[in-house]
Amino acid sequence: MHSKTPRLDDIHGIPARARKMNPLNVGPNERVVSAALGGGLVAWGIWRRGALGLLAGAVGGALVHRGVRGYCPAYAAFGISSRKAPKPTPMPLLETEKLTRIERTVTVARPAAEVYAFLRDPSHVPHFAPHVEGVEDLGEGRIRVWTVLNGERSSWEAHIDLDHEARAIVLGHAEGPPERLAILLGDAPGGRGTEIRLVLELSKTRGLLLRALAAVAGADPDAWAHAGLRRLKMLLEAGEIVTAGVWGHHPARPGGAPDRQPTGSPPAGSSP
Amino acid sequence: MQALCYQGVNRVGVETVPDPELLGPHDAILRVTMSSVCGSDLHLLDGYVPTMRHGDIIGHEFIGEVIEVATEVKKIRPGMRVVVDSIIGCGHCFFCQSEQYSLCDNTNPEPEFTDKLYGYPTAGIYGYSHAFGGFAGSHATYVRVPFADTNAFEVPEGLPDERVLFASDALPTGYMGADLCNIQPGDVVAVWGCGGVGQMAILSAYLLGAERVIAIDRFPERLAMARDRAGAEILDYEQVDVREALREMTGGRGPDACIDCVGMEAHGTGIDYAYDRVKQAVRLETDRPTVLRQAILACRKGGTVSIMGVYGGFVDKFPMGAAMNKGLTLKMGQQHGQRYIPRLLEHIRKGELDPSYLITHRARLADGQQAYDTFKEKRDGCMRVVFTPEA
Ligand SMILES: NC(=O)c1ccc[n+]([C@@H]2O[C@H](COP(=O)([O-])OP(=O)(O)OC[C@H]3O[C@@H](n4cnc5c(N)ncnc54)[C@H](O)[C@@H]3O)[C@@H](O)[C@H]2O)c1
Ligand SMILES: [Zn+2]
Ligand SMILES: [Zn+2]
């Protein structure tokens, strides 16, 4: 059976190319109405013929296009949108890919726009992601992630796909199995802030992402995800990652990630 | 610096440890001027709270002078005298924003344990085991206070340490215990336990409008204090059948509200107490709910049971049927002191509250073992021992 990598677009039901070229700014209901109305106008135009028919056909065509594509140039010109950022829904998992999926969610009492702005700045990542020392922006949607574990530094390259509208960040890589790391933001109800969902799709056949993660997460990506989100929440809400420090004759906290305040300088060449 | 450290079950000793440093941008460092023992320490020392480690600095009820603040601290300044809530809030999460500081999402750096045991992790507490964050306690020359602007409160001018110290822990705990009872005019409130927390609950219940408060304990000096200093009617549970007595004292109705200020190591007299001791000793249950059971049975129909005594794990023979069929309201929690401290300081300043009578003993850190033994055994009329840490 031919299998296809689930893409970010499938998560949100957004046609990929349409979004790449022009961001969606027409809400789903309006898209249906627009397409239906446009279709009607076109049909009427064909029946009516003449100059008026031609005009109706053109307007109808534009409306159909707007409905199908979900993009309205007039809305764009005025910077408006009738589309709410969709709630992230679980990603379809393709059995044939032998992927393990790990999902962790945390609610942060900050607005989604602020959370997204924080997350899309690669220089912030080392402050909360355990063992990540730096993220280098290579341009053209590629990044290099530097990790350090037990003093040993390594790096791996990934595609990064930012969806400003849906407030989603997806990492994947070119070679190997279709693994992904996705961060999806949704509004928590009642003004409680933002639900941040971290989704890891890791190849059981040990793709690059899993190997990279295994290196940093001590083969426990779930604990890594959990700790990372918790630290992210502390940073966004409280403005620091609280620590009990090392005192008395305690060596350091056992097992867990070493307490590290965001002070480490990123490796040479990484973006500031 | 010198610090009083946990050295095994019911063993404490002074150790020389490094001075605390500013670790986060919202930290302050205090020179501790007074630090008190608390009933909660006994649960730790008795070995009922796991995750205590040799060398942990204990103590969480304290007052001191600010000697250093980190960059992001705005309100608290060096030189200020401050009283600090024993439970650490971040001030910004959903819970802190709704004034439920002891449920803070962000102040427990070791959340794994309570996350598993309780379903979600709770706030960090000074000197209160690694399950509650592994923070250094206050029985020391200096203590580090995270999120100082949220957790430290300036002491109003002219008030001596003695009067303000308990605004750190025992007073807000007792006050919250009474506050949760939603006291109405004419209400009779029963308080189990006449330790520091119970005494403060009695005073607070009156402040919040209780008609009568009935206090229950067995130590004569403690009962006498409850009567003479806090104005309660008193019951010695070794002399009377508490439930019978409460029923008779309330015209056959039962108390409108019951506050448990005893917790998981309740002492008792009956067969159920023997049963709980055995089960707790072999760890089939972690907590002895003698008082909790009694409070639920004694409470009037439709009344409130407010639980401020600490429970850590599991209890047995919980009278759910009584609670359910009598339509009781159960309220509980570690104290959200930051919500109450400003108004409590105001009560103290105006002379409406004076908790200083709780101080029956003073000690140096070096006498820590003896201090805790005296407190645990309630010898020599001991209510609370207060340390004045040496430099
Ligand atoms: N919820 C909170 O935030 C918070 C804060 C501080 C203390 N506490 C808890 O409050 C409780 C009391 O603290 P404390 O400092 O007053 O302790 P304490 O040890 O000084 O006093 C406890 C009292 O309970 C009495 N007692 C024991 N068994 C009893 C029984 N069956 N009936 C009536 N009284 C009984 C004891 O004789 C003693 O006087 C402890 O469990 C402590 O952990 C809770
Ligand atoms: Zn206490
Ligand atoms: Zn908080």
Side-chain angles (χ1 to χ4, degrees):
Chain A
M1 192 189 97
H2 177 75
S3 71
K4 192 173 134 274
T5 311
R7 298 194 45 83
L8 169 64
D9 318 308
D10 303 330
I11 309 169
H12 300 293
I14 305 165
R17 251 178 296 123
R19 203 198 66 248
K20 284 265 162 55
M21 293 187 292
N22 289 307
L24 300 188
N25 59 11
V26 183
N29 294 340
E30 195 181 325
R31 281 171 68 177
V32 173
V33 172
S34 182
L37 201 68
L41 272 177
V42 170
W44 186 78
I46 292 168
W47 174 79
R48 173 70 169 68
R49 292 171 191 262
L52 198 59
L54 211 60
L55 184 65
V59 172
L63 280 176
V64 171
H65 189 257
R66 182 178 178 274
V68 171
R69 288 274 298 270
Y71 173 73
C72 173
Y75 276 7
F78 290 108
I80 48 180
S81 169
S82 60
R83 179 174 168 268
K84 289 199 200 86
K87 249 196 158 26
T89 47
M91 287 197 278
L93 181 63
L94 301 183
E95 268 308 310
T96 46
E97 296 293 355
K98 289 202 168 45
L99 293 173
T100 305
R101 178 148 84 215
I102 289 161
E103 288 198 33
R104 282 281 173 191
T105 309
V106 75
T107 300
V108 171
R110 307 299 313 169
E114 185 188 319
V115 175
Y116 183 67
F118 182 87
L119 282 172
R120 56 176 292 204
D121 181 342
S123 71
H124 289 150
V125 177
H127 294 169
F128 61 87
H131 310 296
V132 173
E133 199 195 31
V135 178
E136 193 179 344
D137 191 346
L138 304 175
E140 289 169 2
R142 288 175 317 125
I143 54 167
R144 176 160 288 279
V145 181
W146 293 84
T147 58
V148 149
L149 191 71
N150 301 327
E152 213 172 291
R153 179 183 290 179
S154 54
S155 77
W156 48 286
E157 210 180 293
H159 293 304
I160 181 158
D161 189 357
L162 298 175
D163 181 342
H164 301 327
E165 194 116 22
R167 299 204 182 97
I169 298 172
V170 179
L171 299 191
H173 47 72
E175 326 93 67
E179 297 176 302
R180 297 190 303 180
L181 179 159
I183 298 173
L184 311 169
L185 306 186
D187 291 329
R192 281 172 174 76
T194 306
E195 292 176 8
I196 307 177
R197 176 184 300 171
L198 176 60
V199 183
L200 296 171
E201 284 186 339
L202 304 170
S203 166
K204 289 177 188 153
T205 51
R206 303 223 125 209
L208 291 174
L209 200 53
L210 180 60
R211 258 186 281 142
L213 271 175
V216 297
D220 189 351
D222 187 45
W224 180 84
H226 202 46
L229 285 181
R230 202 169 53 224
R231 292 166 66 89
L232 174 61
K233 176 178 162 73
M234 285 180 173
L235 213 51
L236 286 167
E237 286 185 347
E240 70 171 275
I241 293 169
V242 75
T243 166
V246 179
W247 47 272
H249 38 90
H250 291 307
R253 50 171 309 192
D259 291 307
R260 179 168 50 81
Q261 288 295 317
T263 48
S265 52
S270 73
S271 64
Chain B
M1 66 171 182
Q2 302 290 94
L4 192 61
C5 299
Y6 176 84
Q7 297 181 333
V9 172
N10 284 316
R11 270 195 27 239
V12 296
V14 167
E15 298 181 12
T16 303
V17 302
D19 289 356
E21 286 169 23
L22 297 172
L23 295 177
H26 305 94
D27 284 1
I29 306 284
L30 257 62
R31 186 176 60 79
V32 179
T33 50
M34 278 189 174
S35 182
S36 176
V37 304
C38 168
S40 300
D41 299 334
L42 299 178
H43 308 320
L44 300 178
L45 296 179
D46 285 343
Y48 290 122
V49 180
T51 72
M52 281 300 286
R53 293 201 215 120
H54 193 283
D56 285 353
I57 305 173
I58 55 173
H60 58 261
E61 188 165 37
F62 61 103
I63 186 168
E65 186 194 331
V66 179
I67 57 169
E68 201 183 354
V69 297
T71 49
E72 296 298 311
V73 179
K74 307 281 182 238
K75 218 173 67 193
I76 298 302
R77 305 313 312 159
M80 267 187 190
R81 277 173 67 224
V82 293
V83 61
V84 178
D85 193 274
S86 58
I87 303 176
I88 306 165
C90 78
H92 298 282
C93 68
F94 171 78
F95 298 100
C96 289
Q97 288 290 308
S98 53
E99 298 198 303
Q100 296 175 289
Y101 296 90
S102 72
L103 308 181
C104 178
D105 264 340
N106 295 321
T107 54
N108 188 342
E110 301 186 44
E112 299 81 6
F113 188 85
T114 46
D115 198 358
K116 278 218 178 66
L117 188 61
Y118 301 152
Y120 296 94
T122 55
I125 306 180
Y126 302 94
Y128 201 71
S129 87
H130 290 262
F132 293 88
F135 288 93
S138 59
H139 292 342
T141 317
Y142 304 105
V143 66
R144 170 182 156 250
V145 173
F147 302 105
D149 281 341
T150 299
N151 299 302
F153 296 82
E154 188 174 17
V155 175
E157 193 129 356
L159 291 183
D161 285 359
E162 287 80 355
R163 299 244 300 268
V164 179
L165 167 63
F166 300 109
S168 166
D169 188 57
L171 178 53
T173 305
Y175 192 89
M176 175 163 148
D179 190 38
L180 295 183
C181 295
N182 186 24
I183 295 171
Q184 301 299 311
D187 274 2
V188 181
V189 178
V191 174
W192 273 257
C194 295
V197 173
Q199 302 280 338
M200 296 301 106
I202 300 167
L203 290 174
S204 304
Y206 280 125
L207 272 177
L208 292 169
E211 182 80 23
R212 294 163 58 204
V213 181
I214 304 170
I216 304 147
D217 205 304
R218 75 181 153 126
F219 292 102
E221 319 82 32
R222 290 186 167 217
L223 285 167
M225 274 194 194
R227 184 190 57 213
D228 303 337
R229 307 302 296 252
E233 298 164 49
I234 53 174
L235 284 179
D236 178 344
Y237 66 85
E238 286 191 318
Q239 305 298 321
V240 298
D241 178 327
V242 172
R243 274 167 57 199
E244 269 309 306
L246 285 174
R247 180 198 278 264
E248 284 317 301
M249 292 166 83
T250 55
R253 302 185 303 275
D256 301 284
C258 295
I259 311 180
D260 171 355
C261 298
V262 179
M264 64 166 115
E265 289 184 85
H267 165 264
T269 46
I271 178 83
D272 63 328
Y273 176 66
Y275 167 89
D276 286 320
R277 281 227 71 138
V278 171
K279 287 202 83 168
Q280 194 177 40
V282 297
R283 296 294 191 267
L284 279 173
E285 68 178 338
T286 54
D287 305 356
R288 299 195 299 262
T290 321
V291 164
L292 196 50
R293 288 188 197 122
Q294 215 169 55
I296 286 172
L297 292 172
C299 192
R300 78 146 160 87
K301 289 181 285 181
T304 299
V305 175
S306 156
I307 308 164
M308 298 314 294
V310 164
Y311 294 85
F314 302 92
V315 300
D316 225 9
K317 303 270 183 293
F318 185 84
M320 196 58 207
M324 193 276 161
N325 288 286
K326 290 204 298 179
L328 298 185
T329 300
L330 301 188
K331 292 205 163 186
M332 61 199 90
Q334 300 278 2
Q335 50 108 351
H336 310 306
Q338 295 85 340
R339 182 201 295 178
Y340 300 113
I341 291 175
R343 83 178 82 151
L344 293 171
L345 290 177
E346 197 49 24
H347 280 308
I348 295 172
R349 197 184 58 78
K350 289 197 194 138
E352 294 157 351
L353 262 181
D354 182 3
S356 59
Y357 74 91
L358 298 183
I359 306 179
T360 52
H361 292 66
R362 290 178 185 254
R364 301 175 310 141
L365 292 179
D367 303 322
Q369 181 73 59
Q370 196 195 342
Y372 269 101
D373 289 345
T374 308
F375 175 56
K376 179 180 162 64
E377 307 297 332
K378 320 295 184 216
R379 284 202 297 259
D380 187 27
C382 180
M383 175 69 82
R384 255 168 161 65
V385 187
V386 169
F387 296 106
T388 307
E390 43 269 44

